[in-house]
Amino acid sequence: MNVGGRKAGIRAGAAISCVLLLGGCGGAGNNGSARHEPVTVAKAPAQLPVPRGKGSKSADDFNGDGLRDLVLNDLVKSPGDAHGDDAGIGIVYGTTHGLAPGARQLLNPARQAARTKGRSPAVFDAEASCDLDRDGFTDLVVSTDPPYDGQGRPPVPLQILFGSPAGLTGRAVELVIPVAARAGNDWPDQPVCGDFDGDGAEDLVVHASDGRLSYLRGPFTRKGAPRAAGKPLPSPGTVPTGPALDVNRDGYDDLLVRTAEGPATSALVLGGPAGPTRTGTALPNGIDVALGPFGRGRALDAAVGSMDGTSLRYDLPTAVRDSISTPGSVLDAGDFDGDGVSELVSSGAELRILRGRTTGLSATGMVTVPPPARGTTRVLTVADFTGDGRADLVVRTYDRETKDTVAVYAGSKEALVTAKPTVTFSTSEFLGMDS
């Protein structure tokens, strides 16, 4: 699930499975388009200092300078260490000219993760981001693998890295989930940020068990504890999915909950003074869901992607009104041309953008985006990294486990996105970094 202009780097950047976090893993051939070789370590831009900020309200702004940053999981490894431990999390910081691969930071579990029983985790994956302590710097929620003998209730695997004027520095702290807020013996995972009670502070929703959510009210302390947490809330599914947003425009963030990983039905869970307690619109079976204003003057719409095409449910919570027979089952949304109407990104064998018009989405004038390199291409995120009011498209192409290309296609008023990437780099640039 993705919403144009809002944080999607975590959800799409997490390279777990194609469907676990609803990210897109569609194959994409070269098709004769322009090729861009991945940047090797030798060719990588010289490392630049992380710009220092003073705090902001921008999404994914870990150093508080008002500019969006990019999060990358599953960094490529050196050929001799292809099956080694998690290399960590990569951060590329934004500048006034957009993302700057030189201003990069490696979050290494040995240095940044909280130790459990004296042991550093082998797994260190970014899961969600928001300003949990309300200091003007975005914080990062990561998933780890604490020791567990399989008996009784597992430990909390989630940790928080707090943002600062220098970015994500220091060591993470374990997320505190009070015993009363848990249910059953499931792993407490799948965190989603949002202001679900409308008090201006970011909260967290976490999977508790089948049919239950842990609701943690913000703001959070620097020791990882929420302001309050009650009994688990009922849920129409098992997989809470971000990003959260105010679907019905009542001042409370809402979230999508899926009944299973992979192809599944889903339903909106509506926020309110007591948090996300009400089940709203049910959505049909699909692989992915994108929400956005796909037509001018309407409330938010939902697009559900499946192997049979894309179903559209306009003006939530009304019934399904339309469908588009377009290949691609993994969806994202964003306003690439800056006209206030979202476009729909559909990825699969090819990456396409359907234009949003006054009357809704249209396949007329659909744009096909060429892959930046040979390999398998998937969407990382759709967000405005240049501050020009138009969403940019960030994709990643894999060619085996030790070679990749990350490319940024800038939003365009006329063409939706630029024909060629404006920024291209490889996550191999993070190899060998000290911090």
Side-chain angles (χ1 to χ4, degrees):
M1 172 181 168
N2 188 11
V3 179
R6 197 280 195 200
K7 184 276 306 176
I10 308 304
R11 164 257 185 202
I16 300 179
S17 75
C18 303
V19 296
L20 181 58
L21 293 182
L22 312 183
C25 288
N30 192 282
N31 295 330
S33 59
R35 292 177 57 189
H36 300 261
E37 290 298 323
V39 178
T40 64
V41 175
K43 298 177 182 178
Q47 189 172 352
L48 302 172
V50 174
R52 294 186 66 88
K54 297 181 179 180
S56 80
K57 294 183 179 180
S58 298
D60 281 356
D61 183 12
F62 304 108
N63 57 337
D65 63 352
L67 301 169
R68 186 183 292 266
D69 310 315
L70 178 68
V71 182
L72 295 160
N73 277 326
D74 193 37
L75 308 178
V76 298
K77 302 173 183 179
S78 60
D81 191 36
H83 302 290
D85 287 345
D86 195 333
I89 301 166
I91 308 292
V92 178
Y93 286 88
T95 70
T96 54
H97 301 291
L99 288 172
R104 58 188 183 268
Q105 180 184 29
L106 175 64
L107 305 177
N108 184 288
R111 292 186 297 267
Q112 271 81 34
R115 295 186 176 93
T116 303
K117 297 181 179 181
R119 194 190 81 177
S120 294
V123 173
F124 204 56
D125 286 326
E127 296 282 358
S129 66
C130 55
D131 186 2
L132 291 170
D133 59 350
R134 301 187 74 176
D135 65 350
F137 302 92
T138 302
D139 311 310
L140 186 66
V141 183
V142 299
S143 181
T144 66
D145 60 340
Y148 175 54
D149 61 7
Q151 302 298 313
R153 181 168 285 178
V156 176
L158 302 175
Q159 300 184 5
I160 303 173
L161 278 163
F162 289 99
S164 74
L168 293 166
T169 60
R171 194 172 288 276
V173 300
E174 295 178 353
L175 174 67
V176 177
I177 302 180
V179 173
R182 297 188 62 176
N185 290 332
D186 285 2
W187 284 94
D189 54 12
Q190 306 285 352
V192 177
C193 289
D195 181 11
F196 301 106
D197 58 5
D199 66 351
E202 290 286 338
D203 313 312
L204 279 178
V205 164
V206 177
H207 165 80
S209 67
D210 189 2
R212 291 288 187 270
L213 299 174
S214 294
Y215 170 48
L216 311 177
R217 292 178 183 259
F220 288 69
T221 70
R222 299 286 290 199
K223 294 184 178 180
R227 176 176 62 85
K231 295 180 180 180
L233 300 177
S235 169
T238 62
V239 187
T241 306
L245 71 164
D246 185 3
V247 172
N248 54 358
R249 313 262 174 105
D250 63 353
Y252 305 98
D253 278 347
D254 315 306
L255 76 154
L256 189 81
V257 177
R258 297 177 65 82
T259 54
E261 296 168 352
T265 58
S266 56
L268 290 169
V269 176
L270 305 177
T277 60
R278 298 171 294 149
T279 297
T281 306
L283 297 175
N285 189 74
I287 297 174
D288 203 359
V289 178
L291 303 179
F294 296 126
R296 191 180 302 278
R298 288 207 305 258
L300 290 182
D301 313 318
V304 180
S306 68
M307 299 305 294
D308 296 328
T310 299
S311 298
L312 303 177
R313 182 183 293 262
Y314 288 126
D315 295 338
L316 294 173
T318 57
V320 173
R321 295 185 182 176
D322 199 2
S323 63
I324 296 178
S325 297
T326 178
S329 55
V330 181
L331 308 177
D332 289 89
D335 181 6
F336 294 105
D337 54 5
D339 65 352
V341 177
S342 287
E343 277 71 48
L344 182 69
V345 181
S346 176
S347 59
E350 289 188 303
L351 182 59
R352 297 176 171 88
I353 303 177
L354 282 72
R355 190 181 296 271
R357 302 184 185 276
T358 302
T359 55
L361 288 172
S362 173
T364 302
M366 180 170 57
V367 174
T368 300
V369 181
R374 187 183 303 277
T376 298
T377 298
R378 65 182 181 88
V379 177
L380 282 180
T381 187
V382 176
D384 181 6
F385 288 98
T386 59
D388 63 358
R390 295 190 291 268
D392 308 308
L393 175 65
V394 185
V395 304
R396 186 176 182 182
T397 296
Y398 294 88
D399 185 7
R400 300 178 298 277
E401 292 181 323
T402 59
K403 192 174 183 181
D404 73 346
T405 302
V406 178
V408 182
Y409 295 83
S412 169
K413 184 177 181 180
E414 295 78 17
L416 296 184
V417 295
T418 52
K420 295 182 179 181
T422 55
V423 177
T424 308
F425 64 94
S426 170
T427 65
S428 64
E429 295 181 20
F430 293 94
L431 294 174
M433 291 183 63
D434 294 328
S435 61

